[in-house]
Protein backbone atom coordinates (compact mmCIF):
# COMPACT_ATOMS: atom_id res chain seq x y z
CA UNK A 1 0.00 0.00 0.00
CA UNK A 2 1.27 3.44 -0.88
CA UNK A 3 0.74 6.02 1.82
CA UNK A 4 0.72 9.53 0.43
CA UNK A 5 1.90 12.36 2.63
CA UNK A 6 0.36 15.78 2.21
CA UNK A 7 2.98 17.83 0.46
CA UNK A 8 0.76 20.86 0.14
CA UNK A 9 -2.24 22.10 2.01
CA UNK A 10 -4.31 25.14 1.12
CA UNK A 11 -7.04 26.35 3.44
CA UNK A 12 -9.63 28.95 2.57
CA UNK A 13 -7.47 30.69 -0.05
CA UNK A 14 -9.02 33.88 -1.40
CA UNK A 15 -7.80 36.27 -4.06
CA UNK A 16 -9.53 39.35 -5.44
CA UNK A 17 -8.23 41.49 -8.29
CA UNK A 18 -9.19 45.14 -8.56
CA UNK A 19 -9.61 46.54 -12.05
CA UNK A 20 -10.56 50.21 -11.77
CA UNK A 21 -13.91 50.19 -9.99
CA UNK A 22 -14.45 46.48 -10.47
CA UNK A 23 -13.53 43.75 -8.02
CA UNK A 24 -12.96 40.30 -9.47
CA UNK A 25 -13.07 37.46 -6.96
CA UNK A 26 -10.77 35.03 -8.72
CA UNK A 27 -10.53 32.59 -5.77
CA UNK A 28 -13.31 32.42 -3.21
CA UNK A 29 -12.08 30.01 -0.55
CA UNK A 30 -9.98 27.18 -1.97
CA UNK A 31 -9.33 24.12 0.19
CA UNK A 32 -6.94 21.62 -1.34
CA UNK A 33 -4.38 18.98 -0.41
CA UNK A 34 -1.78 17.66 -2.80
CA UNK A 35 0.07 14.53 -1.82
CA UNK A 36 3.64 13.52 -2.48
CA UNK A 37 4.06 11.85 -5.84
CA UNK A 38 0.49 12.50 -6.92
CA UNK A 39 -0.53 13.38 -10.48
CA UNK A 40 -3.55 15.65 -10.33
CA UNK A 41 -5.40 17.63 -12.97
CA UNK A 42 -7.06 20.93 -12.20
CA UNK A 43 -9.95 21.30 -14.61
CA UNK A 44 -12.08 24.33 -15.23
CA UNK A 45 -13.28 26.63 -17.97
CA UNK A 46 -11.43 29.78 -18.93
CA UNK A 47 -11.68 32.36 -16.13
CA UNK A 48 -12.44 29.82 -13.40
CA UNK A 49 -9.26 30.68 -11.46
CA UNK A 50 -6.79 27.98 -12.53
CA UNK A 51 -3.85 30.26 -13.31
CA UNK A 52 -4.44 32.36 -10.20
CA UNK A 53 -4.31 29.22 -8.08
CA UNK A 54 -1.16 27.98 -9.82
CA UNK A 55 0.54 31.33 -9.28
CA UNK A 56 -0.21 31.15 -5.57
CA UNK A 57 1.02 27.55 -5.35
CA UNK A 58 4.14 28.60 -7.24
CA UNK A 59 4.74 31.46 -4.76
CA UNK A 60 4.65 33.92 -7.66
CA UNK A 61 1.63 35.63 -6.13
CA UNK A 62 0.18 35.91 -2.61
CA UNK A 63 -3.44 35.28 -1.65
CA UNK A 64 -5.43 37.89 0.28
CA UNK A 65 -6.54 35.34 2.85
CA UNK A 66 -6.01 31.73 3.82
CA UNK A 67 -3.17 29.40 4.74
CA UNK A 68 -0.65 27.55 2.58
CA UNK A 69 1.76 24.94 3.89
CA UNK A 70 4.34 22.96 1.94
CA UNK A 71 5.83 20.10 3.93
CA UNK A 72 6.16 21.64 7.36
CA UNK A 73 6.66 25.16 6.07
CA UNK A 74 4.17 27.99 6.37
CA UNK A 75 4.77 29.42 2.91
CA UNK A 76 2.95 32.71 3.44
CA UNK A 77 5.22 33.67 6.34
CA UNK A 78 8.42 33.34 4.28
CA UNK A 79 10.46 36.38 3.22
CA UNK A 80 10.85 37.17 -0.49
CA UNK A 81 14.33 35.62 -0.42
CA UNK A 82 13.11 32.46 1.22
CA UNK A 83 10.29 32.25 -1.29
CA UNK A 84 12.60 32.58 -4.27
CA UNK A 85 14.84 29.89 -2.78
CA UNK A 86 11.81 27.60 -2.38
CA UNK A 87 10.67 28.40 -5.93
CA UNK A 88 14.06 27.60 -7.43
CA UNK A 89 14.71 24.42 -5.41
CA UNK A 90 11.32 22.85 -4.99
CA UNK A 91 9.04 24.02 -7.77
CA UNK A 92 9.16 23.61 -11.53
CA UNK A 93 6.90 25.45 -13.98
CA UNK A 94 5.64 24.46 -17.40
CA UNK A 95 3.68 27.03 -19.40
CA UNK A 96 1.32 26.97 -22.34
CA UNK A 97 3.69 28.93 -24.55
CA UNK A 98 6.88 27.09 -23.49
CA UNK A 99 8.85 30.25 -22.48
CA UNK A 100 12.17 29.09 -23.91
CA UNK A 101 14.98 31.56 -24.47
CA UNK A 102 15.35 31.84 -28.27
CA UNK A 103 19.06 32.77 -28.32
CA UNK A 104 20.04 29.77 -26.19
CA UNK A 105 20.26 26.23 -27.50
CA UNK A 106 18.38 23.32 -25.91
CA UNK A 107 21.22 22.41 -23.55
CA UNK A 108 21.55 26.02 -22.38
CA UNK A 109 17.81 26.43 -21.88
CA UNK A 110 17.70 23.38 -19.64
CA UNK A 111 20.82 24.57 -17.79
CA UNK A 112 19.26 27.92 -16.80
CA UNK A 113 17.62 27.00 -13.48
CA UNK A 114 20.82 25.25 -12.37
CA UNK A 115 23.00 28.31 -12.82
CA UNK A 116 21.74 29.70 -9.53
CA UNK A 117 22.25 26.43 -7.65
CA UNK A 118 25.77 26.77 -6.35
CA UNK A 119 25.88 23.42 -4.53
CA UNK A 120 26.31 21.46 -7.78
CA UNK A 121 29.73 20.96 -9.35
CA UNK A 122 30.16 21.62 -13.05
CA UNK A 123 30.25 17.89 -13.71
CA UNK A 124 27.09 17.19 -11.70
CA UNK A 125 25.35 20.01 -13.50
CA UNK A 126 26.36 18.63 -16.88
CA UNK A 127 25.15 15.14 -15.98
CA UNK A 128 21.81 16.42 -14.72
CA UNK A 129 21.23 18.41 -17.90
CA UNK A 130 22.03 15.46 -20.16
CA UNK A 131 19.86 13.11 -18.10
CA UNK A 132 16.98 15.53 -18.10
CA UNK A 133 17.15 16.05 -21.87
CA UNK A 134 17.45 12.32 -22.43
CA UNK A 135 14.38 11.71 -20.24
CA UNK A 136 12.27 13.78 -22.61
CA UNK A 137 13.71 12.06 -25.69
CA UNK A 138 15.71 14.96 -27.12
CA UNK A 139 19.33 13.97 -26.70
CA UNK A 140 19.98 14.38 -30.44
CA UNK A 141 18.94 18.04 -30.26
CA UNK A 142 21.31 19.44 -27.62
CA UNK A 143 22.76 22.16 -29.80
CA UNK A 144 19.62 23.11 -31.68
CA UNK A 145 17.96 26.47 -31.08
CA UNK A 146 14.29 26.27 -30.00
CA UNK A 147 13.03 27.65 -33.34
CA UNK A 148 14.32 24.54 -35.11
CA UNK A 149 11.98 22.36 -33.03
CA UNK A 150 8.28 21.54 -33.31
CA UNK A 151 5.78 22.70 -30.66
CA UNK A 152 5.77 19.28 -29.01
CA UNK A 153 9.57 19.21 -28.90
CA UNK A 154 9.69 22.71 -27.43
CA UNK A 155 7.32 21.65 -24.69
CA UNK A 156 9.60 18.66 -24.01
CA UNK A 157 12.50 21.08 -23.54
CA UNK A 158 10.39 23.10 -21.10
CA UNK A 159 9.59 19.88 -19.22
CA UNK A 160 13.29 18.98 -19.03
CA UNK A 161 14.03 22.47 -17.73
CA UNK A 162 11.31 22.19 -15.07
CA UNK A 163 12.65 18.83 -13.85
CA UNK A 164 16.39 19.48 -13.96
CA UNK A 165 16.42 20.92 -10.43
CA UNK A 166 14.71 17.77 -9.07
CA UNK A 167 11.78 19.72 -7.64
CA UNK A 168 9.07 18.30 -5.36
CA UNK A 169 6.27 19.97 -7.26
CA UNK A 170 5.65 20.65 -10.95
CA UNK A 171 2.99 23.17 -11.89
CA UNK A 172 1.87 23.01 -15.52
CA UNK A 173 -0.47 25.74 -16.74
CA UNK A 174 -2.35 24.41 -19.80
CA UNK A 175 0.85 22.86 -21.17
CA UNK A 176 -0.89 21.28 -24.14
CA UNK A 177 -3.18 24.14 -25.17
CA UNK A 178 -0.92 25.08 -28.11
CA UNK A 179 -0.45 21.51 -29.35
CA UNK A 180 -2.40 19.27 -31.72
CA UNK A 181 -4.23 16.33 -30.19
CA UNK A 182 -1.72 13.60 -31.10
CA UNK A 183 1.11 15.67 -29.60
CA UNK A 184 -1.04 16.49 -26.58
CA UNK A 185 -1.46 12.82 -25.78
CA UNK A 186 2.27 12.20 -26.14
CA UNK A 187 3.05 15.07 -23.79
CA UNK A 188 0.54 13.87 -21.20
CA UNK A 189 2.04 10.35 -21.44
CA UNK A 190 5.49 11.81 -20.91
CA UNK A 191 4.37 13.84 -17.88
CA UNK A 192 2.81 10.74 -16.33
CA UNK A 193 5.94 8.68 -17.01
CA UNK A 194 8.14 11.32 -15.42
CA UNK A 195 5.78 11.55 -12.45
CA UNK A 196 6.27 7.82 -11.82
CA UNK A 197 9.97 7.81 -12.56
CA UNK A 198 10.93 10.88 -10.52
CA UNK A 199 8.25 10.73 -7.81
CA UNK A 200 7.45 14.38 -8.32
CA UNK A 201 4.02 15.78 -7.53
CA UNK A 202 2.32 17.17 -10.63
CA UNK A 203 -0.52 19.64 -10.81
CA UNK A 204 -1.53 19.95 -14.40
CA UNK A 205 -4.19 22.47 -15.31
CA UNK A 206 -6.39 22.27 -18.37
CA UNK A 207 -9.79 23.16 -19.79
CA UNK A 208 -9.63 20.09 -22.06
CA UNK A 209 -12.23 17.54 -20.90
CA UNK A 210 -10.76 14.92 -23.26
CA UNK A 211 -7.66 14.59 -21.10
CA UNK A 212 -9.59 13.90 -17.94
CA UNK A 213 -10.12 10.19 -18.14
CA UNK A 214 -6.37 9.69 -18.22
CA UNK A 215 -5.57 11.35 -14.94
CA UNK A 216 -5.45 9.76 -11.49
CA UNK A 217 -7.10 12.61 -9.66
CA UNK A 218 -9.37 15.29 -11.05
CA UNK A 219 -9.93 18.53 -9.23
CA UNK A 220 -12.69 20.70 -10.61
CA UNK A 221 -12.69 24.44 -10.19
CA UNK A 222 -15.60 26.73 -11.02
CA UNK A 223 -15.88 30.45 -10.28
CA UNK A 224 -12.96 30.30 -7.88
CA UNK A 225 -14.11 27.35 -5.78
CA UNK A 226 -13.37 23.65 -5.97
CA UNK A 227 -16.48 21.63 -6.66
P1 LIG B 1 -8.11 30.61 -15.73
O1 LIG B 1 -6.64 30.39 -15.69
O2 LIG B 1 -8.92 29.48 -15.21
O3 LIG B 1 -8.57 31.01 -17.10
P2 LIG B 1 -7.55 33.00 -14.16
O4 LIG B 1 -7.01 32.56 -12.85
O5 LIG B 1 -6.60 33.51 -15.17
O6 LIG B 1 -8.47 31.84 -14.76
O7 LIG B 1 -8.63 34.14 -13.92
C1 LIG B 1 -9.65 34.08 -12.93
C2 LIG B 1 -10.41 35.40 -12.94
O8 LIG B 1 -9.57 36.45 -12.50
C3 LIG B 1 -10.90 35.83 -14.33
O9 LIG B 1 -12.13 36.48 -14.18
C4 LIG B 1 -9.83 36.78 -14.80
O10 LIG B 1 -10.34 37.69 -15.72
C5 LIG B 1 -9.40 37.44 -13.50
N1 LIG B 1 -7.99 37.85 -13.50
C6 LIG B 1 -6.92 37.03 -13.63
N2 LIG B 1 -5.76 37.72 -13.54
C7 LIG B 1 -6.11 39.02 -13.36
C8 LIG B 1 -5.37 40.23 -13.19
N3 LIG B 1 -4.03 40.23 -13.16
N4 LIG B 1 -6.08 41.36 -13.03
C9 LIG B 1 -7.43 41.36 -13.01
N5 LIG B 1 -8.17 40.27 -13.16
C10 LIG B 1 -7.54 39.10 -13.33
MG1 LIG C 1 -5.20 30.37 -17.17
Amino acid sequence: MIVFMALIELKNIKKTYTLGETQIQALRGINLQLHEGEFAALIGTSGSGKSTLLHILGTIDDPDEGSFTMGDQNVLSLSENEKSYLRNKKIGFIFQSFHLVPVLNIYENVELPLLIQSHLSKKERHERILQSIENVGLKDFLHHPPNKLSGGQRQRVAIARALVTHPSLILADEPTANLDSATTHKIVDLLMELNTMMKVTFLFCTHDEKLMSRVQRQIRIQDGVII
Side-chain angles (χ1 to χ4, degrees):
M1 189 179 77
I2 302 170
V3 179
F4 284 120
M5 306 250 295
L7 170 68
I8 282 173
E9 184 156 30
L10 297 181
K11 282 190 191 151
N12 198 29
I13 292 287
K14 295 186 181 169
K15 178 79 184 178
T16 300
Y17 294 109
T18 305
L19 269 184
E21 308 270 284
T22 322
Q23 303 259 315
I24 300 161
Q25 285 188 295
L27 300 178
R28 298 185 297 153
I30 296 278
N31 295 300
L32 177 67
Q33 281 195 352
L34 291 173
H35 304 285
E36 271 178 27
E38 176 168 60
F39 192 103
L42 178 68
I43 309 142
T45 54
S46 176
S48 56
K50 302 182 298 296
S51 295
T52 303
L53 181 56
L54 254 55
H55 293 161
I56 289 171
L57 284 166
T59 75
I60 296 170
D61 205 355
D62 287 323
D64 304 323
E65 262 181 64
S67 76
F68 172 11
T69 52
M70 188 164 180
D72 51 13
Q73 250 169 346
N74 174 357
V75 176
L76 301 179
S77 71
L78 301 177
S79 68
E80 284 307 314
N81 273 344
E82 289 167 329
K83 267 193 250 178
S84 56
Y85 180 85
L86 176 77
R87 198 151 56 226
N88 182 246
K89 285 269 197 200
K90 300 274 187 203
I91 304 173
F93 291 94
I94 303 168
F95 303 95
Q96 176 177 340
S97 48
F98 324 133
H99 290 199
L100 302 178
V101 181
V103 296
L104 300 181
N105 68 29
I106 299 323
Y107 182 96
E108 292 161 338
N109 267 282
V110 175
E111 182 179 33
L112 276 180
L114 292 185
L115 293 176
I116 43 176
Q117 296 210 353
S118 50
H119 70 286
L120 293 175
S121 70
K122 213 173 157 195
K123 179 165 173 284
E124 285 168 324
R125 208 162 72 205
H126 179 65
E127 283 166 2
R128 282 246 201 138
I129 297 162
L130 291 184
Q131 184 64 57
S132 213
I133 294 175
E134 194 175 336
N135 287 348
V136 299
L138 289 179
K139 73 174 187 326
D140 296 334
F141 295 85
L142 292 181
H143 304 295
H144 286 56
N147 69 10
K148 289 276 157 52
L149 303 185
S150 68
Q153 289 171 324
R154 287 182 208 190
Q155 196 56 299
R156 284 169 188 269
V157 177
I159 293 167
R161 181 184 55 190
L163 284 161
V164 76
T165 59
H166 296 175
S168 334
L169 173 69
I170 294 276
L171 299 168
D173 196 351
E174 311 224 23
T176 60
N178 285 341
L179 304 174
D180 63 66
S181 71
T183 311
T184 291
H185 285 287
K186 284 190 198 143
I187 291 289
V188 175
D189 287 341
L190 175 67
L191 293 175
M192 296 202 285
E193 246 175 67
L194 292 167
N195 162 253
T196 312
M197 179 162 80
M198 303 190 70
K199 317 235 181 318
V200 185
T201 306
F202 274 76
L203 183 65
F204 163 90
C205 101
T206 182
H207 63 265
D208 186 351
E209 290 284 337
K210 291 193 298 295
L211 293 176
M212 292 314 98
S213 57
R214 320 203 35 204
V215 179
Q216 217 181 62
R217 178 175 172 206
Q218 304 172 13
I219 302 161
R220 292 193 176 261
I221 182 169
Q222 188 180 317
D223 299 328
V225 283
I226 285 168
I227 51 172

